[in-house]
Structure formats: structure tokens, C-alpha cells
Amino acid sequence: MTPRVFLAGACVMLVGAIALWEAALYPFGSPRMIGPAVFPFAVSLLLIGTGLVILISDMRAGQDEQQEPEAVPWRNLCAVLAAIVVFGFLLERSGLVPAVFAGVFIASLADRSLRLRTVALLAVVLSIGCTLVFVTFLKLPISPFAM
């Protein structure tokens, strides 16, 4: 068992256990009218199960299948984290569409093989999709553009 994989499986299980604990604080409701705890409870069980699968698959892997750990891809990690932070920062200040555009373009820095045209098309499609889902259908109080 490699320490990195064990830590990954344990972290996934820990997040699932914390979510399970929090979900238990909400009412479950009845089968006819489910409460707000049902979905977080199910997701937390899936997280715990995923962590178990990670741990078991690593235990079953033989020593010959395990390879040397690779270096941490800092560029990719920083690009994705920066995209999340910028999205959260811009969402209220600039609106949903500019936040999605900025998030997609910053996250695309993690993959050097992406072309600008592909990233721009993805940003347009995600902006339209997010606006339709969150603003139009779910009627969340998010403006597509800052007023």
C-alpha cells in the first residue's frame, strides 16, 4: 500500500464521514416528502464508498504494479485553484457570465494542449448552460452580468 493512495482514500472517506455527520442534523422527512438530509446523506455514502474502493484497490495491487510517485503538478493545481478563487470573487462583482469565462480561461492553463478556440467555445457553452440552469430554470438570485 502506497502512502499517497492511502492518504487519498482516507481523505475521501473523512470528507464523506463529515458530510454524513452534517446530513444527520437535518430532517429526513418521509418517503412521500423527502427532507433536506436525503441528498447529502446519499452523496456522503457515495464518498465513503469511493474511499473504500480506493483503499481496497490499492491493497489488492501487487508490488510490481505500484510505480514510483510522480512529482506534484504544481502548475495544474495552481491553475485550477486560481480558477475557483477567481470565479468566487467575480460572481457577485461581475456576474455569472464573466465569472464563468474567467474561470474557464484560467483553468485551461492547466492543460497546455488546449487551443484558444476550444477554450473560448467551452466558455461560451458553459456560460449559456449555467445561465439557463441557474438563472432561468432555478431562478437563483444571480445576475448574468453585473448591474
Side-chain angles (χ1 to χ4, degrees), residues 118-136:
T118 306
V119 175
L121 180 64
L122 178 64
V124 168
V125 169
L126 279 177
S127 294
I128 293 170
C130 288
T131 303
L132 283 174
V133 169
F134 297 115
V135 177
T136 306

Side-chain angles (χ1 to χ4, degrees), residues 45-65:
L45 288 179
L46 286 173
L47 280 171
I48 293 170
T50 302
L52 278 173
V53 168
I54 292 170
L55 290 177
I56 291 170
S57 66
D58 188 48
M59 281 191 239
R60 294 184 69 197
Q63 293 292 348
D64 56 331
E65 292 180 25

Side-chain angles (χ1 to χ4, degrees), residues 65-141:
E65 292 180 25
Q66 295 180 0
Q67 61 236 22
E68 283 293 315
E70 298 176 13
V72 176
W74 291 109
R75 174 190 169 101
N76 302 354
L77 185 65
C78 290
V80 171
L81 288 176
I84 294 169
V85 169
V86 167
F87 177 83
F89 181 77
L90 289 178
L91 185 60
E92 286 187 16
R93 291 165 179 79
S94 300
L96 181 64
V97 174
V100 169
F101 262 84
V104 167
F105 276 100
I106 292 171
S108 72
L109 297 174
D111 188 359
R112 297 176 192 216
S113 67
L114 291 174
R115 295 186 318 186
L116 183 61
R117 186 180 330 156
T118 306
V119 175
L121 180 64
L122 178 64
V124 168
V125 169
L126 279 177
S127 294
I128 293 170
C130 288
T131 303
L132 283 174
V133 169
F134 297 115
V135 177
T136 306
F137 298 140
L138 294 177
K139 303 211 184 311
L140 293 180

